[in-house]
Amino acid sequence: MDRAAEPLGGAQPSEGVDPELLALPAPARGRRIATMTVMALAVTAASVLLAALRSDLAYFFQSSTVTDLGEATELAPAALVSNRYVSVRGTPMASRTVTYRRLFGGQYEVFPLAGQRRVFVQRRIDAAASQDARREFAGRLVTMGSLGGRFAAVRRAYAEMGVPVTAETFVLLADEPPTGYGWALALAALCVLFGFVNLLLLLRWFRPIRLERHARA
């Protein structure tokens, strides 16, 4: 009686590996490498985005109790800590206002508070229309440098005005409490899920199959 067909080289599949799966032709090498590369890039992109969300997540988990810094003209440098929920009082300087528009976030204005140049305020223009006399602002305190490219144009505009601003100049993002950053938690969870699924599939689909070799009778 003929013996059952054996894999080439006398290799027998290890326990738990489907022989029919081993009998299937291997995928083209180029397609395999391309698929592995795309999945690895997806995991990397998810990790990079998750790292970029760290400060937003840290702010989301802060207390919703606002810290009052008082008058802008009396601010102590030690009281200015980035990524905190604070309030500050001062008179907006209309002559030093810069406006810009986000691609999907509406139009904003940025201005210093009279008597100092350490803290600027950003607020939505539509929200500011009926608040021209407003002197107190509460929101997220950050540095201009931490806002990245979206504030580069604002910094250039102030440089052209002769107003000294640096990456360490503070901006209070008015009307942005920690509870408003739930989107950061949702996006971070999506990144974790997306990265985990791609990593799991990458390891499962492309891990090498170990074969136990037996000597021929």
Side-chain angles (χ1 to χ4, degrees), residues 102-195:
R102 294 184 190 174
L103 184 58
F104 299 108
Q107 193 171 11
Y108 291 80
E109 62 180 4
V110 182
F111 50 83
L113 298 176
Q116 54 84 49
R117 293 292 184 274
R118 291 189 296 271
V119 176
F120 288 62
V121 174
Q122 171 193 281
R123 64 178 176 179
R124 288 181 65 99
I125 288 181
D126 55 359
S130 60
Q131 300 175 351
D132 294 339
R134 182 179 177 187
R135 290 194 73 258
E136 184 169 356
F137 306 92
R140 183 184 182 186
L141 186 67
V142 295
T143 60
M144 286 192 178
S146 67
L147 294 175
R150 73 178 186 183
F151 239 68
V154 175
R155 292 173 60 183
R156 286 195 301 269
Y158 277 118
E160 293 172 0
M161 291 182 185
V163 178
V165 295
T166 67
E168 300 304 316
T169 301
F170 285 91
V171 180
L172 189 142
L173 309 180
D175 307 315
E176 294 191 13
T179 53
Y181 279 73
W183 61 266
L185 182 64
L187 186 56
L190 185 62
C191 288
V192 171
L193 178 63
F194 190 72

Side-chain angles (χ1 to χ4, degrees), residues 7-27:
L8 294 178
Q12 297 290 340
S14 60
E15 184 179 354
V17 178
D18 189 348
E20 295 182 358
L21 180 62
L22 291 177
L24 294 175

Side-chain angles (χ1 to χ4, degrees), residues 37-48:
T37 301
V38 170
M39 296 179 72
L41 288 176
V43 173
T44 302
S47 301
V48 171

Side-chain angles (χ1 to χ4, degrees), residues 21 25-43 197-210:
L21 180 62
R29 184 175 180 82
R31 185 181 303 172
R32 174 187 174 90
I33 293 176
T35 304
M36 292 178 66
T37 301
V38 170
M39 296 179 72
L41 288 176
V43 173
V197 170
N198 275 274
L199 183 60
L200 183 65
L201 293 178
L202 185 65
L203 295 176
R204 178 167 181 165
W205 290 350
F206 298 105
R207 67 179 180 181
I209 298 176
R210 296 182 179 180

Side-chain angles (χ1 to χ4, degrees), residues 39-117:
M39 296 179 72
L41 288 176
V43 173
T44 302
S47 301
V48 171
L49 182 55
L50 188 61
L53 291 171
R54 286 182 301 175
S55 62
D56 297 315
L57 287 172
Y59 184 66
F60 172 74
F61 285 108
Q62 283 192 24
S63 170
S64 296
T65 302
V66 64
T67 300
D68 184 12
L69 299 182
E71 290 289 334
T73 54
E74 301 174 0
L75 286 174
L80 301 177
V81 179
S82 185
N83 212 34
R84 295 292 185 270
Y85 184 37
V86 303
S87 66
V88 66
R89 291 182 292 277
T91 303
M93 295 185 65
S95 61
R96 292 291 185 266
T97 298
V98 172
T99 62
Y100 75 96
R101 181 180 296 276
R102 294 184 190 174
L103 184 58
F104 299 108
Q107 193 171 11
Y108 291 80
E109 62 180 4
V110 182
F111 50 83
L113 298 176
Q116 54 84 49
R117 293 292 184 274

